[in-house]
Amino acid sequence: MAPSYSPAPLALPQPAGSGASAGPVRREGFELPAHTSSVSRARSRLSGQLRRWGFPEELGHTALLVISEFVTNAVLHTDSGRIGCNIQLDGQRLRIEVTDEGTERCVPRARSAAPEEVGGRGLQLVGALTERWGVSAGDTPCGRKVWAELGTC
């Protein structure tokens, strides 16, 4: 499943001319069981890490919505036993990734929900609140990765 990263900031070399921001790339990774209680655990882990990194609180609320949506979808719409969560902050961008054991035939898509429907709007919100998001099916050994990126400014 997803690798676990050290909570300490990691300085990673950037390719010349990559346009990457100066400073270290910071990463954190963790795994959770594919259970509804893991949604709040993922939010708590993300919130704590963003505080330690000094991430702007206002943007942190958006990040919490994103990880909630991704973990909820992994729990409800796949047969996963474990869910991996990875976050990366490079000074200009926060990237949130959630991996699950889902198959390519069940790729998350934003949809239009009818006014009376309770659910079905989460990925529309993710699309509206993030710079970009997507799905990488088959990108992980056991399933797919759903990711989103938020600007830090």
Side-chain angles (χ1 to χ4, degrees), residues 39 42 63-78 83-86 95-100 108 122-123 125-127 130 132-135 144-149:
V39 177
L64 293 175
L65 181 144
V66 169
I67 204 164
S68 293
E69 177 63 19
F70 289 173
V71 173
T72 297
N73 284 348
V75 168
L76 295 179
H77 302 296
T78 73
I83 297 168
C85 300
N86 291 295
R95 183 176 174 99
I96 299 168
E97 301 175 349
V98 173
T99 57
D100 61 46
L123 292 176
L125 289 171
V126 168
T130 63
R132 60 190 191 133
W133 75 277
V135 180
R144 70 172 158 242
K145 179 189 315 174
V146 182
W147 56 270
E149 294 179 349

Side-chain angles (χ1 to χ4, degrees), residues 15-152:
S18 68
S21 64
V25 173
R26 295 178 257 181
R27 295 181 178 177
E28 172 70 13
F30 53 93
E31 282 191 354
L32 298 167
H35 190 269
T36 56
S37 65
S38 292
V39 177
S40 65
R41 290 173 61 194
R43 279 194 306 263
S44 179
R45 292 282 301 263
L46 176 61
S47 179
Q49 189 61 55
L50 293 179
R51 263 194 316 277
R52 286 187 290 280
W53 288 343
F55 193 76
E57 185 176 350
E58 185 175 302
L59 292 174
H61 295 302
T62 301
L64 293 175
L65 181 144
V66 169
I67 204 164
S68 293
E69 177 63 19
F70 289 173
V71 173
T72 297
N73 284 348
V75 168
L76 295 179
H77 302 296
T78 73
D79 291 330
S80 298
R82 305 285 298 164
I83 297 168
C85 300
N86 291 295
I87 54 175
Q88 176 178 306
L89 180 63
D90 74 0
Q92 297 298 315
R93 183 174 303 115
L94 175 70
R95 183 176 174 99
I96 299 168
E97 301 175 349
V98 173
T99 57
D100 61 46
E101 300 164 328
T103 63
E104 289 185 41
R105 63 184 181 84
C106 183
V107 175
R109 288 182 175 76
R111 67 181 185 91
S112 296
E116 65 276 2
E117 288 183 88
V118 174
R121 295 169 187 81
L123 292 176
Q124 287 180 342
L125 289 171
V126 168
L129 296 172
T130 63
E131 288 184 356
R132 60 190 191 133
W133 75 277
V135 180
S136 303
D139 196 26
T140 65
C142 346
R144 70 172 158 242
K145 179 189 315 174
V146 182
W147 56 270
E149 294 179 349
L150 298 146
T152 60

